[in-house]
Amino acid sequence: MKSVTMVCWEADPFYTRGGTAYAIRRLANQLTELGIETRVLLPNRLDTRQRRTPRVVQCSEFCREAVEAVDQIRSSAPLDAVIAHSDEGAMFIILQKRSREPSVFWLHSLYAPPIHDFSEDQRRLLPSQSLLASAVMKADIVVTSRGILKDAGEFEWPGRLKELQQALATASTENRVLTVESMGCLPEVAKTSSNLEKLENVRSPYVLFPCRPSVDKGMGILVAIAERLRADNI
């Protein structure tokens, strides 16, 4: 039986964040349906000592623990691939030593966290001044959407995204990039009557857009959105 292990901060059951968690859950289900044994490594949120440290440092510590966990898995069972998701899993690719199975970096978005909160030793491990670019450079396989790859070839990206743009172009030239689309990741909604027509009567229309907000995309933000909509009789 084939075996895949995924490193995923986004699927943390205590702090699930938006659509990426749905996409990863769907991927895990699809791999399982194909008869592939699938493990998902999650952060241990029972340890509260690091909650006041910068998020990028918390993710780095999670990745360090994930490397140790993958080493234990590898010593007791065959492993065919390891997939690290998003910027939260990027440091796993950096820390992992060369192994027989391919390391896969799944680039879900272009959010590039700053690296100034890393220690000097951690920054020394990065072959680039960009965490995402470093992960793309070190991964055996890079997975992203066709849209991101297309934009990398057609637009000049700003700031620290420039290094990521160059890393993606190089990886594509080296045939290390796979493109996928996240179709069917979200569960279908039952066909019932909606209140969308009431939006026409709202003076300031609401615009919902995909981004990384300043708060977790958990129940709290959904409740806040619902309260605002109800205040406008929607």
Side-chain angles (χ1 to χ4, degrees):
M1 176 183 290
K2 296 292 186 180
S3 175
V4 170
T5 295
M6 297 197 290
V7 179
C8 177
W9 174 285
E10 289 279 0
D12 178 348
F14 293 97
Y15 292 93
T16 297
R17 294 173 176 82
T20 304
Y22 285 102
I24 295 169
R25 174 65 179 272
R26 179 62 179 148
L27 173 62
N29 289 341
Q30 289 173 332
L31 292 174
T32 302
E33 290 169 2
L34 291 172
I36 299 174
E37 182 182 27
T38 305
R39 301 180 183 88
V40 181
L41 302 182
L42 307 174
N44 178 15
R45 284 297 184 140
L46 297 179
D47 184 357
T48 60
R49 291 172 296 177
Q50 292 192 6
R51 290 193 177 179
R52 293 187 178 181
T53 61
R55 180 171 171 276
V56 68
V57 177
Q58 294 183 48
C59 293
S60 177
E61 177 60 20
F62 161 58
C63 289
R64 184 192 64 77
E65 295 176 353
V67 168
E68 295 177 356
V70 168
D71 286 340
Q72 293 179 359
I73 294 171
R74 189 183 291 118
S75 65
S76 60
L79 190 58
D80 294 290
V82 181
I83 305 173
H85 289 276
S86 240
D87 61 282
E88 295 89 351
M91 186 55 82
F92 175 88
I93 300 294
I94 307 301
L95 296 174
Q96 184 182 228
K97 296 179 181 179
R98 181 62 61 182
S99 58
R100 287 177 296 179
E101 73 278 353
S103 62
V104 181
F105 179 52
W106 201 303
L107 182 65
H108 291 270
S109 71
L110 296 180
Y111 175 72
I115 64 172
H116 56 73
D117 287 319
F118 284 146
S119 67
E120 184 176 344
D121 289 340
Q122 289 174 317
R123 290 197 297 270
R124 195 177 295 120
L125 295 173
L126 305 179
S128 162
Q129 292 300 305
S130 162
L131 177 60
L132 294 184
S134 297
V136 169
M137 293 165 69
K138 297 201 69 171
D140 296 311
I141 299 172
V142 179
V143 180
T144 192
S145 69
R146 287 195 296 268
I148 286 179
L149 191 62
K150 183 173 182 290
D151 287 350
E154 296 182 358
F155 300 98
E156 181 179 352
W157 290 0
R160 57 179 176 265
L161 287 179
K162 289 182 179 179
E163 291 187 71
L164 172 60
Q165 183 178 25
Q166 180 58 47
L168 278 174
T170 300
S172 180
T173 300
E174 296 171 348
N175 295 319
R176 291 190 292 115
V177 179
L178 297 178
T179 57
V180 298
E181 300 305 322
S182 56
M183 300 300 293
C185 288
L186 297 177
E188 292 187 7
V189 179
K191 295 182 179 179
T192 58
S193 60
S194 67
N195 293 326
L196 292 179
E197 61 274 7
K198 293 184 179 180
L199 286 173
E200 298 177 359
N201 300 322
V202 179
R203 293 182 180 179
S204 299
Y206 289 87
V207 179
L208 304 181
F209 54 94
C211 72
R212 183 174 297 276
S214 58
V215 296
D216 290 347
K217 296 180 184 176
M219 182 58 67
I221 192 172
L222 298 178
V223 171
I225 291 174
E227 290 177 350
R228 288 293 302 272
L229 293 174
R230 280 197 294 267
D232 285 327
N233 298 318
I234 298 176

